Amino acid sequence: FDPRHYLGTHCYSLPKTGPHRLRFLLESVKDLRETLKKKGSTLVVRKGKPEDVVLDLITQLGSVTTVVFHEEVRELL
């Protein structure tokens, strides 16, 4: 979870993620973790800037050869 997604927007300082969306995200992550656990896997969940968290995970695991990601599409005003 990137803390920057829970700050106010540039315009009007409205929250990027409101309480209903946050609840949906938390329930979705919980469901995904439970589904993966039933299949013998797990889900790593961290809070922080992705550019920092991913580097920390790579360092901890030590055997990572590939990292795949996507960039969030941003609207131009």
Side-chain angles (χ1 to χ4, degrees):
F1 289 93
D2 187 341
R4 295 172 291 196
H5 289 196
Y6 306 94
L7 303 174
T9 60
H10 298 292
C11 301
Y12 310 110
S13 197
L14 297 171
K16 293 180 183 180
T17 304
H20 300 293
R21 182 174 183 194
L22 178 58
R23 185 178 327 119
F24 172 78
L25 289 172
L26 292 173
E27 289 173 356
S28 298
V29 168
K30 180 181 177 185
D31 183 64
L32 177 58
R33 177 180 271 159
E34 290 171 1
T35 300
L36 289 171
K37 187 175 180 180
K38 289 176 187 174
K39 296 183 181 289
S41 190
T42 189
L43 177 67
V44 176
V45 179
R46 297 287 187 267
K47 176 184 171 189
K49 294 180 180 179
E51 57 270 26
D52 298 331
V53 172
V54 172
L55 180 60
D56 290 343
L57 286 172
I58 290 169
T59 303
Q60 287 175 11
L61 295 172
S63 61
V64 176
T65 58
T66 306
V67 176
V68 179
F69 67 94
H70 79 281
E71 184 174 350
E72 181 178 350
V73 176
R74 299 183 186 261
E75 252 186 79
L76 298 176
L77 298 176

